[in-house]
């Protein structure tokens, strides 16, 4: 049988589905991205339509294949990446009877706080998932306590990746990493954790079978194969969640290799040969394979902060961009911030616009500008916003370093890696050289590589390091680094100073007591 020259990845993200077609050397041949809406039926609720996501995935794959102009029989397989923590209720007819509730949903704040106070530490030490409204466990407890009808009628509870596998192949399977992110999976036994199931009020029969990332699903219907522009018998490799796949796709897989990924949200992660948790409960530890774990911490506030600044501060720039057709509004805002000195003339921004996960795990945290004066302008606020996101990543990195040791290599991936300014801020704040791949689609390349590994086309996961096209690195400026360290000391103290006020403000914003 002749060697097939291409591999396809499907990356199911928070706000869009992306299909990326790679040569086996890691060069991107074609890609296509389809966005889908996010719905907020009540304050703090964040939902999506599973059917819309499925249709976006189908169109993304088909368009990427057609864009490439290659024979689809020359594609060896499809590897799948997905965002973590989504939750969908399914009936016995394998239909969704609830929306997909995303990681950003905050309806279970009270349940998470109560669980964390009484049984959370024990569950965290077993599952590696910090107790927070992001994960399905507190959401399931909320469903149980409020009598949520889809929960009462559900035959199965699945993530968005599992939903696609059910629709396309009729099978309930979940990879170890997505299972780990549910808060229901024991990272030591690689099975569902009974104490978490008891808290959620569900049984293991209502969950999918946990399987390795190399598991293959095959046998598309003729109609679906035609919609996807793929052969009916093409192997779909189940892959993993976007976090570990971003590490794999950027080559951050050895001890000391640390990856920073910022898309809508963000994370800093490091692979480990054994599970590591402690009673401080600051970082996650998810199983990837039975001899590989990933540790780190996520932030709720990555690119979404830049989007907020564009919407609130960038009206003139948006109009100028539309009128001139030269560059995006984001480029124009970045150019404004480039003209401001590091440190934004003493202006600091706590970027907790969407609550916060690591290292505080505080859904009530709120964003703040600190140090505003009459001398500050829009460009200072933009610069402070970009720096605030990286200060947040640095604080997570401190918690990760406690368990994983000092980083030796720093890699950047995700949409923010297209911004030279943001990457230089990373280098200057961390005081380390930042390595950047040519393609920012690292999760997709990691999914594709898992596919090749599952089929035996590559010898190991670690071998991916030889097939990651890299571009120039970003070197830290020592003067800027010293300045940022001084500012970070103030930044890190501000959260704890303001924390007593966050919960009351959050309650007012949710309408509690009205």
């Amino acid at each position: 049988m002749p060697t097939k020259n291409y591999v396809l990845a499907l990356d199911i993200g928070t706000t869009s589905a992306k299909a990326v077609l790679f040569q086996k050397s890691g060069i991107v041949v074609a890609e296509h991205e389809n966005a889908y809406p996010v719905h907020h039926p009540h304050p703090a609720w964040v939902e999506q339509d599973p059917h819309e996501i499925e249709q976006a995935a189908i169109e993304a794959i088909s368009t990427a294949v057609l864009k490439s102009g290659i024979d689809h029989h020359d594609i060896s397989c499809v590897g799948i990446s997905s965002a973590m923590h989504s939750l969908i209720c399914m009936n016995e007819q394998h239909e969704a009877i609830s929306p997909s509730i995303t990681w950003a949903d905050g309806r279970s704040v009270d349940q998470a706080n109560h669980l964390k106070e009484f049984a959370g530490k024990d569950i965290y030490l077993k599952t590696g998932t910090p107790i927070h409204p992001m994960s399905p466990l507190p959401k399931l407890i909320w469903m149980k306590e409020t009598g949520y009808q889809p929960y009462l009628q559900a035959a199965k509870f699945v993530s968005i990746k599992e939903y696609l596998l059910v629709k396309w192949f009729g099978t309930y399977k979940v990879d170890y990493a997505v299972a780990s992110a549910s808060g229901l999976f024991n990272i030591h036994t690689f099975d569902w954790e009974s104490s978490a199931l008891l808290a959620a009020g569900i049984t293991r029969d209502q969950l999918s079978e946990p399987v390795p990332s190399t598991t293959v699903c095959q046998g598309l219907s003729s109609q679906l194969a035609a919609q996807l522009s793929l052969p009916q018998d093409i192997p779909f490799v189940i892959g993993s969640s976007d976090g570990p796949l971003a590490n794999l796709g950027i080559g951050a897989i050895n001890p000391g290799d640390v990856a920073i990924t910022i898309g809508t949200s963000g994370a800093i992660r490091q692979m480990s040969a054994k599970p590591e948790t402690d009673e401080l409960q600051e970082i996650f530890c998810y199983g990837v394979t039975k001899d590989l774990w990933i540790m780190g911490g996520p932030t709720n506030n990555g690119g979404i902060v830049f989007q907020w600044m564009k919407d609130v501060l960038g009206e003139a720039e948006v109009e100028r961009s539309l009128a001139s057709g030269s560059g995006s509004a984001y480029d124009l805002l970045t150019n404004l911030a480039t003209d401001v000195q590091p440190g934004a003339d003493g202006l600091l921004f706590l970027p907790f616009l969407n609550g916060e996960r690591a290292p505080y795990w505080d859904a009530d945290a709120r964003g703040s500008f600190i140090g505003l004066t009459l001398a500050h302008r829009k460009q200072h606020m933009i610069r402070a916003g970009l720096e605030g996101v990286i200060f947040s990543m640095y604080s997570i990195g401190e918690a990760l370093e406690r368990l994983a040791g000092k980083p030796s290599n720093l890699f950047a991936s995700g949409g923010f890696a297209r911004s030279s300014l943001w990457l230089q801020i990373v280098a200057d704040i961390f005081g380390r050289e930042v390595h950047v791949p040519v393609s920012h689609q690292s999760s997709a390349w990691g999914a594709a590589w898992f596919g090749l590994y599952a089929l035996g086309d590559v010898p190991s996961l670690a071998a991916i390091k030889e097939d990651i096209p890299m571009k120039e690195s970003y070197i830290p400026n020592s003067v800027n680094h010293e300045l940022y360290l001084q500012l970070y000391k103030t930044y890190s103290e501000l959260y704890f100073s303001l924390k007593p006020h966050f919960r009351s403000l959050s309650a007012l914003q949710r309408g509690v007591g009205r």
Side-chain angles (χ1 to χ4, degrees):
M1 179 180 295
T3 301
K4 297 184 177 183
N5 298 311
Y6 303 95
V7 58
L8 185 65
L10 172 63
D11 187 1
I12 309 160
T14 302
T15 56
S16 65
K18 291 173 280 191
V20 188
L21 186 67
F22 296 93
Q23 294 177 2
K24 288 186 175 179
S25 61
I27 300 296
V28 174
V29 176
E31 59 184 291
H32 190 73
E33 182 173 1
N34 267 3
Y36 27 78
V38 176
H39 306 289
H40 303 274
H42 301 285
W45 290 31
V46 185
E47 300 178 346
Q48 293 173 317
D49 183 335
H51 178 69
E52 289 180 339
I53 295 175
E54 180 189 11
Q55 293 307 305
I58 290 171
E59 186 177 339
I61 290 175
S62 177
T63 304
V65 173
L66 294 175
K67 275 183 179 179
S68 73
I70 69 167
D71 184 340
H72 64 193
H73 291 287
D74 205 15
I75 302 173
S76 59
C77 63
V78 181
I80 310 175
S81 167
S82 71
M84 294 175 276
H85 312 301
S86 53
L87 178 62
I88 305 167
C89 302
M90 305 284 285
N91 64 17
E92 292 183 353
Q93 290 72 45
H94 315 303
E95 298 167 337
I97 54 174
S98 79
S100 175
I101 302 174
T102 81
W103 63 266
D105 187 277
R107 72 186 70 186
S108 59
V109 169
D110 292 339
Q111 288 73 22
N113 289 338
H114 184 268
L115 180 63
K116 191 171 184 176
E117 184 176 352
F118 291 99
K121 184 186 295 184
D122 179 64
I123 291 176
Y124 165 75
L125 292 174
K126 292 176 179 177
T127 66
T129 305
I131 306 302
H132 185 271
M134 70 170 184
S135 73
L137 173 56
K139 292 180 174 68
L140 287 165
I141 298 173
W142 176 88
M143 291 179 178
K144 177 181 69 172
E145 293 182 353
T146 60
Y148 186 62
Q149 281 302 305
Y151 168 90
L152 299 175
Q153 299 165 6
K156 292 280 189 179
F157 299 96
V158 302
S159 69
I160 188 59
K161 184 199 287 190
E162 295 163 76
Y163 174 81
L164 293 187
L165 294 176
V166 170
K167 289 298 181 182
W168 294 359
F169 301 103
T171 184
Y172 284 95
K173 297 184 186 299
V174 60
D175 66 82
Y176 296 144
V178 168
S180 284
S182 69
L184 302 162
F185 186 77
N186 190 306
I187 58 173
H188 306 281
T189 66
F190 278 72
D191 195 4
W192 298 115
E193 169 53 42
S194 57
S195 61
L197 297 179
L198 181 63
I202 65 173
T203 66
R204 65 180 58 245
D205 292 338
Q206 290 179 288
L207 299 172
S208 298
E209 175 192 359
V211 297
S213 295
T214 50
T215 300
V216 174
C217 296
Q218 210 162 3
L220 296 169
S221 69
S222 57
Q223 180 181 4
L224 180 57
Q227 288 179 303
L228 292 167
S229 301
L230 292 173
Q232 272 190 263
D233 62 349
I234 191 169
F236 277 70
V237 178
I238 194 169
S240 190
S241 62
D242 53 4
L245 289 177
N247 273 58
L248 176 63
I250 206 172
I253 52 180
N254 294 330
D257 289 346
V258 174
I260 294 179
T261 302
I262 300 180
T264 304
S265 57
I268 181 167
R269 301 171 304 270
Q270 183 171 336
M271 294 289 197
S272 173
K274 61 179 181 178
E276 296 277 7
T277 55
D278 68 10
E279 295 190 356
L280 291 179
Q281 305 177 61
E282 289 181 334
I283 67 169
F284 62 69
C285 181
Y286 300 144
V288 182
T289 70
K290 289 193 174 180
D291 55 8
L292 190 65
W293 288 258
I294 190 161
M295 299 188 298
T299 172
N300 282 358
N301 303 286
I304 198 170
V305 172
F306 202 7
Q307 180 181 331
W308 174 82
M309 289 190 294
K310 176 184 72 70
D311 293 342
V312 174
L313 301 174
E315 183 177 346
E317 281 69 26
V318 171
E319 291 180 358
R320 194 186 313 158
S321 176
L322 291 172
S324 66
S326 56
S328 71
Y330 293 108
D331 294 333
L332 292 169
L333 292 175
T334 300
N335 289 337
L336 284 176
T338 303
D339 294 333
V340 177
Q341 291 297 311
D345 289 343
L347 180 62
L348 284 170
F349 181 63
L350 300 187
F352 311 139
L353 300 177
N354 198 26
E356 190 52 291
R357 290 183 283 174
Y360 311 119
W361 302 101
D362 183 357
D364 293 322
R366 290 295 179 262
S368 310
F369 278 104
I370 307 294
L372 273 171
T373 71
L374 290 172
H376 288 119
R377 296 292 181 263
K378 178 189 302 184
Q379 53 265 40
H380 295 91
M381 299 175 77
I382 296 166
R383 174 101 194 192
L386 298 177
E387 291 173 342
V389 171
I390 307 306
F391 279 140
S392 175
M393 300 298 285
Y394 189 79
S395 70
I396 302 169
E398 285 189 319
L400 177 60
E401 185 176 315
R402 193 185 66 255
L403 290 180
K406 284 187 175 296
S408 52
N409 295 299
L410 200 59
F411 298 84
S413 69
F416 97 118
R418 288 174 282 188
S419 168
S420 295
L421 174 61
W422 227 348
L423 290 169
Q424 188 61 53
I425 291 172
V426 173
D428 290 348
I429 288 179
F430 279 80
R432 293 191 176 276
E433 182 177 0
V434 178
H435 305 279
V436 187
V438 171
S439 169
H440 66 278
Q441 304 288 15
S442 297
S443 292
W445 181 226
W449 192 266
F450 249 121
L452 296 173
Y453 180 57
L455 299 185
D457 287 359
V458 296
S460 67
L461 295 180
I464 194 173
K465 280 182 170 286
E466 305 301 318
D467 291 289
I468 303 174
M470 302 295 288
K471 58 184 180 183
E472 76 279 6
S473 299
Y474 288 78
I475 308 299
N477 179 301
S478 59
V479 174
N480 292 347
H481 177 59
E482 290 303 318
L483 170 65
Y484 280 132
L485 287 183
Q486 294 176 37
L487 288 170
Y488 177 71
K489 184 177 185 300
T490 302
Y491 172 93
S492 60
E493 293 171 354
L494 283 170
Y495 165 77
F496 296 103
S497 298
L498 294 172
K499 178 178 170 62
H501 308 288
F502 284 147
R503 181 167 291 190
S504 59
L505 292 172
S506 175
L508 285 172
Q509 290 161 356
R510 295 199 307 269
V512 175
R514 290 181 186 174

